Amino acid sequence: MTDRPLARFHEGRLEVNYGGIYEPASRFNVWMTARMFGKRPGPDAARYVRDCKAALAEYDKAKEEAE
């Protein structure tokens, strides 16, 4: 896969990279994606987990600031 993140927080919403195209995703979807890759070996899986956790952290921070 390219060096594009698997999940990101972009323009106020969470998105997941599906085959090179970012699609809107729920917080639960990103969290489950991180859990799924957390059980797999290899550096790519570790990077995907980091991408998901970073996106969730940005989302939670933005949500907290909005309140």
Side-chain angles (χ1 to χ4, degrees):
M1 190 170 186
T2 65
D3 50 344
R4 295 174 55 168
L6 178 67
R8 69 181 183 176
F9 180 69
H10 182 71
E11 295 181 355
R13 66 181 179 194
L14 288 169
E15 298 176 332
V16 174
N17 185 348
Y18 292 109
I21 299 171
Y22 283 102
E23 298 285 336
S26 68
R27 187 183 191 290
F28 180 74
N29 186 313
V30 175
W31 179 79
M32 285 300 295
T33 302
R35 296 262 313 179
M36 178 184 68
F37 281 109
K39 297 178 185 284
R40 295 184 180 178
D44 285 339
R47 185 176 72 93
Y48 298 157
V49 171
R50 284 193 306 272
D51 291 346
C52 290
K53 287 184 178 182
L56 289 173
E58 288 181 48
Y59 174 80
D60 290 342
K61 182 179 177 185
K63 189 173 180 180
E64 185 176 297
E65 289 174 358
E67 292 175 352

